[in-house]
Amino acid sequence: MRRITRIATVGIASAALALSATACGGKKSSDASSSPSESGQKSAAIAYDIGGRGDQSFNDAAYAGLKKAETDLKIKGAEAEPTDGEGEADKVQRLTELARKGNNPVIGVGFAYAPAIKKVAPKFPNTTFGIIDDTSVTGPNVANMVFNEEQGSYLAGVAAAKASKTGTVGFIGGVEVPLIKKFEAGFTQGVKETNPNAKVLSAYLTQPPNFDGFAKPDLGKAAAQGQLDAGADVIYAAAGLAGSGAIEAASAKGKWAIGVDSDQYNQAGLAKYKDSILTSVTKDVSDSVFDLIKSVEDGKPTTGEIRYGLDKDGVGLADSNPKYKEMADVIAAVEKAKADIIAKKITVKTAP
């Protein structure tokens, strides 16, 4: 089913939409939210990346930040969904419509929004535009919310190397772009510096301009099955919604999966596989969204580069799985690596 663009007030539980998105691959359209001038309430908006809300990962983390802003700041939230195979013009139209309705800030979830924000932001100088995972587009009203993904991925590599019994682990990237290669670089370095004899199998689901690798669980599942067949017993997927397929494959074989962006052990849509999710590399996308909205509400909009790393808990490794908490040697190794990265004793690579 083709995904349909939607701009709507946030109000339906994320878990429920996660189930519908996973089941049919799309969401119904709904009427656009009323503007702040019509409702008498300030409003902020997010435009989702490929996969949309319900991906159990990147987009859902952004949604959590918007939902928190609705609750804590008493604002109105608006969302806009992507469409399958859309082009730059679609993103420009989406951001323009959100800004025209008076939403402030307007946040593009993902680097794919960079060209659109470059075009739209100058036309709305009194609106703050946020973009996650990109620093290429700058402006007096643009906030670049970026993360040291390689640092969190290094910790995942340490955990994978310590937890693996076969000495072979896998990395799956959704699309082979520089951002995802940061995940691969950190993970591989963490594995190798923990166990120099370990083998890392790497695979990418699609190549740009095909971004289906972030949206199709069947691709993640097939790639993971190939790595499992080759002896991997821990698989880390940085692939958005497609990563859920890798988690499913690892669970079916009784092996470990490592989640990404959100703490995927706690995602309702992945509940049946949660016991196989050793840990997750988290990015504090939720707080980055909330913090930008709050800065606008406080009358002091944040602009320029806003970086989140291990030193500020902007990235990290989740410990929700009780089985992970029982692995004292794994936790000790991860904590030492974290301290060494923060102390700059370890410099994590950003490219393989």
Side-chain angles (χ1 to χ4, degrees), residues 203-214:
Y204 284 88
L205 303 180
T206 60
Q207 297 289 324
N210 180 0
F211 286 86
D212 285 350
F214 289 133

Side-chain angles (χ1 to χ4, degrees), residues 271-322:
K272 64 164 64 174
Y273 314 121
K274 65 188 299 183
D275 289 341
S276 294
I277 301 174
L278 177 65
T279 181
S280 296
V281 175
T282 57
K283 289 171 58 172
D284 202 358
V285 174
S286 174
D287 275 357
S288 74
V289 169
F290 176 84
D291 290 347
L292 184 60
I293 295 173
K294 188 174 187 303
S295 76
V296 173
E297 291 301 298
D298 290 344
K300 299 178 180 179
T302 302
T303 57
E305 181 176 310
I306 311 164
R307 183 164 293 279
Y308 297 83
L310 275 180
D311 57 339
K312 298 178 181 178
D313 292 324
V315 296
L317 210 60
D319 63 356
S320 299
N321 191 334

